[in-house]
Amino acid sequence: MLTLPRPLDVPFTDTSAEALRLSLDHGRIAPLAARRIDVPTVAAPTDTEFTLAEAAPHLTLTLTVIGSSHQAILGEDAFIETFACLGEDADGPSPSRPQWDHENIRHGRWAGFTEHRFTATRTHVTGDFPRAAAEVLAAGADRAFTADDHLSVAFPGQPGALTALSLTAAGPDRIAWQSWHCYPQHGEIVHSSSELRRST
């Protein structure tokens, strides 16, 4: 179900899609808005005498909007994906520029997950930007795993300045989410797809 973006009374601090960086090493950034989602860590039981909540321990995935885009946080900082305008001098290992339209795969250990996949695309909008941003909101709501797994915020000052995130899959072996970042000052929309997988 489509919900209107939450309005924020803070300036839109993103500069452009070109300034975005991806990091799996950056610490938490205080969020402007967040959505905390429980995800199962084991398959649902086939015995109907037990509920999923009783039989399946959960992790939490927190999708957050920050002043410079988004973070996705698994558990208590077991994994943090930061896709934001971090600047060239960000703390920790240098964040990487997104390789547009190319899947980036990293291996590690994050609360039992061993593979992170990330893809980002950049679209230049030549027509009505607020209309294109409204289509982003509809796409995010349509792709959300459930009606409660979608977060969107609108920034003041420029129509169409918004960020939206959706959980798109949640299971014991795979968690996936997507994000949309809209830059009306440059006529750009960035769409990212992220996924954590367990080794088989």
Side-chain angles (χ1 to χ4, degrees):
M1 182 177 73
L2 178 61
T3 56
L4 293 176
R6 172 181 169 184
L8 295 180
D9 189 20
V10 295
F12 188 59
T13 58
D14 281 328
T15 54
S16 70
E18 190 60 31
L20 284 168
R21 301 291 183 269
L22 172 66
S23 175
L24 301 185
D25 302 302
H26 202 285
R28 279 186 187 242
I29 298 172
L32 299 172
R35 177 64 49 86
R36 187 178 170 102
I37 303 164
D38 287 333
V39 293
T41 57
V42 299
T46 55
D47 189 338
T48 56
E49 291 182 13
F50 298 97
T51 66
L52 178 61
E54 292 171 335
H58 284 72
L59 282 172
T60 58
L61 178 70
T62 305
L63 301 175
T64 73
V65 174
I66 54 179
S68 52
S69 295
H70 85 257
Q71 287 189 313
I73 303 166
L74 184 66
E76 296 301 321
D77 299 349
F79 167 88
I80 301 176
E81 174 193 270
T82 305
F83 190 44
C85 302
L86 297 171
E88 298 293 341
D89 300 321
D91 293 336
S94 297
S96 62
R97 292 176 181 271
Q99 297 176 295
W100 304 114
D101 305 308
H102 175 78
E103 187 175 52
N104 180 291
I105 302 175
R106 297 188 190 184
H107 298 277
R109 292 191 176 275
W110 308 286
F113 293 91
T114 56
E115 185 176 273
H116 174 254
R117 293 173 175 256
F118 179 88
T119 305
T121 62
R122 176 171 58 176
T123 302
H124 294 276
V125 178
T126 56
D128 183 343
F129 195 90
R131 184 186 188 102
E135 292 173 358
V136 160
L137 290 178
D142 288 346
R143 296 182 194 186
F145 191 57
T146 75
D148 294 326
D149 297 336
H150 179 60
L151 171 67
S152 61
V153 301
F155 295 87
Q158 299 195 53
L162 62 86
T163 299
L165 296 112
S166 292
L167 178 76
T168 56
D173 298 317
R174 177 176 175 263
I175 303 173
W177 59 95
Q178 297 186 20
S179 77
W180 294 263
H181 305 289
C182 299
Y183 304 95
Q185 69 275 40
H186 296 288
E188 296 176 315
I189 295 177
V190 172
H191 173 222
S192 73
S193 298
S194 303
E195 184 178 344
L196 281 172
R197 293 183 181 180
R198 296 186 194 272
S199 296
T200 55

